[in-house]
Amino acid sequence: MAKAEVSLEHLFRVFTKPEHSDSTLAKIERHLSDNISDFLSQHVVTKKTSLEEIEKDFSSASVPDSPEFVSEHAESLLNKLVAHSVNTYSPTFIGHMTSALPYFHLTLAKLLVGLNQNLVKIETSKAFTPLERQTLGMMHNLIYQQDDKFYEDYLHSADHALGSFCSGGTVANITALWIARNQLLGADGKFPGVAKAGLAAAYRHYGYENIGVMSSNRGHYSLSKTVDVLGIGRDNMLTVQSPTQKLDPQQALKLGKAYQESGNKLLAIIGIAGTTETGHVDPLDELADVAKELNCWFHVDAAWGGATLFSERYRSKLAGIERADSVSIDAHKQMYVPMGAGMALFKDPKHSNAVRHHAQYVLREGSKDLGATTLEGSRNGMAMMVYSSLHILGRRGYELLINKSIELAFEFAEMINVHPEFELTTQPTLSLLTYRLRPFSLSQLAGMPASDITNINNRLNSLTVSVQKQQREAGKSFVSRTRIEIEKYNGEAITVFRVVLANPLTTKEHLSDILQEQLTIANNNRIWNELSVNPTSKIA
Amino acid sequence: MAKAEVSLEHLFRVFTKPEHSDSTLAKIERHLSDNISDFLSQHVVTKKTSLEEIEKDFSSASVPDSPEFVSEHAESLLNKLVAHSVNTYSPTFIGHMTSALPYFHLTLAKLLVGLNQNLVKIETSKAFTPLERQTLGMMHNLIYQQDDKFYEDYLHSADHALGSFCSGGTVANITALWIARNQLLGADGKFPGVAKAGLAAAYRHYGYENIGVMSSNRGHYSLSKTVDVLGIGRDNMLTVQSPTQKLDPQQALKLGKAYQESGNKLLAIIGIAGTTETGHVDPLDELADVAKELNCWFHVDAAWGGATLFSERYRSKLAGIERADSVSIDAHKQMYVPMGAGMALFKDPKHSNAVRHHAQYVLREGSKDLGATTLEGSRNGMAMMVYSSLHILGRRGYELLINKSIELAFEFAEMINVHPEFELTTQPTLSLLTYRLRPFSLSQLAGMPASDITNINNRLNSLTVSVQKQQREAGKSFVSRTRIEIEKYNGEAITVFRVVLANPLTTKEHLSDILQEQLTIANNNRIWNELSVNPTSKIA
């Protein structure tokens, strides 16, 4: 490959001159602008390439010594990277929470980098700071619906924060529970608070053996990461087995009481508004009662489901969320914003002061710098993407999208239900559902002896894994898989297909094709064929 | 404002059709592509608008009900947001660590959003996963320079990580110390380790009163945030007063021993490679010795200075960094990558297992999903920006840029030194320096009685604050300010101008103009005029 000149003159050109309009980079740009879907179908060439093969293109750990020409590098990006990336825009990519995005984000992304603001402080962000505060205010309002006076008082107050913008739901959950922890173990008489004295001293002072966090076992894995990071410990993540996919308030209360009676303190109950695996919503209102009775923080992880609040028709599925002390929402999920836009919202704008910090050169006392209460430091202006989406789509636009997704999930559920060779394993609540291939010969599986159920489920699990992999590798469509406990199979965990119906471009025809493709793959599978003919043949 | 239609048809267009080439958005895009500097000078119209005035444009906390047309929204973005943002590209914006960026990032930003990958797992990122691993490997190599075999073994190993990509230096520091903490307080006999049992149980098991982290008082504020988040507590952040701006190894050793002799355990010593306020580099090699003697983790915060390693001429300023257990580097600082690209690198690729976590639907045991050892969950593909920069600029390109910045800082220092009305308060080590206005009449200030020094410094501090604000508000140029202890003033903290010379477009002429502007502002300042005429006039 020809190497570019090593000179400051060449570098200045790289900083100040756009690429020629015939260059590869300029062509990439035009193609993206004109027709992103065409760009992706032309360049994301899914071959059955194994990861190991792809790794060969990324195997050197040496920093390239000499500069490369931009256009040559752009060619290499197309061939090595774009060709082997994932077409998340595709209407048949329904396995994860990434979807097609509105077109305007392409230009906004460019504007964002062109402006390259740093939102940690006003001196490097100026109007972006009030914009981010307003965006958080709108999301706060969506959840908590306080009166005008409230938002007048707090939206731009230097001593308060309605929320915290962050890179994603994990940091949002950490932020919320960090605040909850520091609030619970705050300063008290001569004790300076956990933020200063540390966790061990705080437990000694308050006389707690441990503090704990409770959620259903469908809680996102970021919750156990959170209790690890915060020093609480994963053993104090009280996960309640929930074969209904929802945290049972009675069980929560009982477990919480028992935990507290043994010298511990329950820090928080987590209600989930849209589990990652099946989209279920915990009974938030009843869990708020439990949290009140146990006198603990109530956090709602609405990373996925939060956007349902835009829909007047389905908003009530999240009833009780307004009683949460804190809520996490990811705009890069059902708000169709590019990756990297998480938010934690706080019911009480004073609570964020539990983690407020200062520095000499920024975040001075009394400043409105956003960095004073965020977990992250330097941050980009992703809030602009959320702000623009809220304006361009509007609440009513989001409502249409949310309604469409949920209703498509119900239609897909019905397609699966009436199909003799598939089994719906969880009903949709929001736009997620799970199902599996199950031969018609096994439609009465739940009524069989327990040991037969286990045996057959094991074989069906292998089948599901195999079909899911083959379908992914074929590259036309993608569903994911997970393991969930199913009540009617005695609470046994089984492997299932998992789909997320959030791409507005996905139609019923796409879904029907996906089922057909799975069935075709299964028809070439030994387990499937054996089970179809004689379901109990291999049972010892 | 005309409202767009509320229909799924309209929304589909927003998702699938680019804006017309006459639209405001398309114009913004072309202007950015053709001449970003012109776009910014035309649209970032710095008026003396107070933050309160800007806030009026962002004062509603209601989610807009109806959709807006994209073009109308784009107009409003230009007027409300872009007009009042900060021109970080400008060669006279030298107050913070944000600078002009190479042109190709504009297109890459668009490609990144067009692809919208999620790097938490291979299923939503594919080739981006090996790309990120390779990028981390290159940065690891830049620091640790291990042999080929090492990188062959670990670069793409599912059970190892050479580093962790994250949104910025703060998360990098938290990640590094999280690993250090879990490593120190790991599983041991029947004790399951701090990750599971929590911090209080770990202290009890290991018999520590507290664990602590040490750095000079020039450590970034993210360090105290880190010890807060991790449950260690800010009181256990042992900050050593360092009027030389560098952590003294003898003092570090003494303090560390005393701390450990009182029943505590020192978790880590932090060496700083480029302090945020003055760009000083701690004596890393000697601090590595101290860490060894105290048997603790050695972390180097090279968020700013890490890129110096690209320069053969100046690499030795960071000698000893290769002995660090972990290193933080921000690519969005001196690697000229857009905001949002932090990295933590780990000397020992096994160490990241101290924070490894799994989930059913992703991050399965044995997978190469990057999310298994990162603090964040869903993440975008910023690694591509770093990867492309490493190729397009190359080590030698970076070397030229780094050398130019450092040498410009030395030239600026000399300009200040020979100027009778300015005082250089810290010599540059890398590309940062601090100085202040100080009338020629006070050139012997250090020799005056201590009480006079204090009195005069207080008045000079007010002057510095006032000049810095006026210069920022005038909008032509921007230097920041901070407070630092100065040895010759008996270790007293004074307020100083702080400049960061990283923008390759900044010239000596720009710097000379900035000094001239400050002098002009000072000439209209009462304190300046009084001190110039009779330095001790107001001393009681």
Side-chain angles (χ1 to χ4, degrees), chain A residues 274-404:
Chain A
T275 64
T276 316
E277 302 178 66
T278 64
H280 280 78
V281 179
D282 281 335
L284 303 180
D285 204 39
E286 291 160 87
L287 290 176
D289 289 336
V290 175
K292 199 175 164 193
E293 184 158 353
L294 295 172
N295 190 26
C296 73
W297 192 272
F298 182 41
H299 174 70
V300 172
D301 184 345
W304 176 256
T308 313
L309 296 170
F310 290 116
S311 164
E312 285 177 2
R313 193 179 299 162
Y314 296 115
R315 190 186 158 94
S316 61
K317 284 180 186 270
L318 271 57
I321 194 171
E322 72 286 353
R323 298 176 63 193
D325 295 294
S326 54
V327 173
S328 301
I329 295 186
D330 272 346
H332 58 233
K333 295 197 166 97
Q334 285 198 97
M335 285 177 71
Y336 303 99
V337 162
M339 197 54 61
M343 289 169 278
L345 288 314
F346 316 126
K347 185 174 194 173
D348 182 339
K350 286 186 298 298
H351 276 158
S352 61
N353 291 330
V355 300
R356 187 172 286 276
H357 42 267
H358 297 286
Q360 276 303 341
Y361 68 109
V362 288
L363 320 182
R364 298 181 189 98
E365 203 96 35
S367 92
K368 294 185 176 185
D369 293 338
L370 293 163
T373 54
T374 53
L375 182 89
E376 291 162 280
S378 295
R379 281 184 306 109
N380 71 10
M382 279 302 294
M384 178 181 80
M385 306 293 221
V386 185
Y387 172 87
S388 291
S389 297
L390 285 167
H391 282 88
I392 295 174
L393 300 175
R395 188 198 60 75
R396 295 172 66 195
Y398 274 123
E399 173 166 46
L400 287 179
L401 294 171
I402 295 288
N403 292 357
K404 179 181 182 299

Side-chain angles (χ1 to χ4, degrees), chain A residues 23 41 53 110 117 123 138 208 213 344 405 414 470 501:
Chain A
S23 69
S41 6
E53 283 176 76
K110 205 165 149 176
Q117 309 288 291
E123 283 178 348
M138 287 176 180
Y208 300 140
V213 173
S405 296
E414 186 54 25
Q470 281 183 70
L501 294 167

Side-chain angles (χ1 to χ4, degrees), chain A residues 135-146:
Chain A
T135 305
L136 289 167
M138 287 176 180
M139 297 305 294
H140 189 281
N141 201 345
L142 184 71
I143 300 164
Y144 296 111
Q145 303 181 308
Q146 300 295 300

Side-chain angles (χ1 to χ4, degrees), chain A residues 33 61 110 141 167 228 376, chain B residues 33 61 110 123 141 167 181 376:
Chain A
S33 298
K110 205 165 149 176
N141 201 345
S167 64
D228 175 352
E376 291 162 280
Chain B
S33 297
K110 203 165 149 176
E123 283 179 348
N141 201 346
S167 63
R181 187 200 71 181
E376 290 160 281

Side-chain angles (χ1 to χ4, degrees), chain A residues 13 16 22 44 50 80 99 131 146 157 166 184 194 212 228 239 255 267 304 340 374 398 438 468 491 495 528 530:
Chain A
R13 280 194 298 274
T16 57
D22 285 347
V44 181
S50 71
K80 292 182 185 173
S99 132
L131 174 139
Q146 300 295 300
S157 160
C166 46
L184 174 70
V194 63
D228 175 352
T239 47
L255 185 64
L267 169 63
W304 176 256
T374 53
Y398 274 123
R438 187 231 45 214
Q468 190 265 350
T495 304
W528 175 260
E530 283 169 7

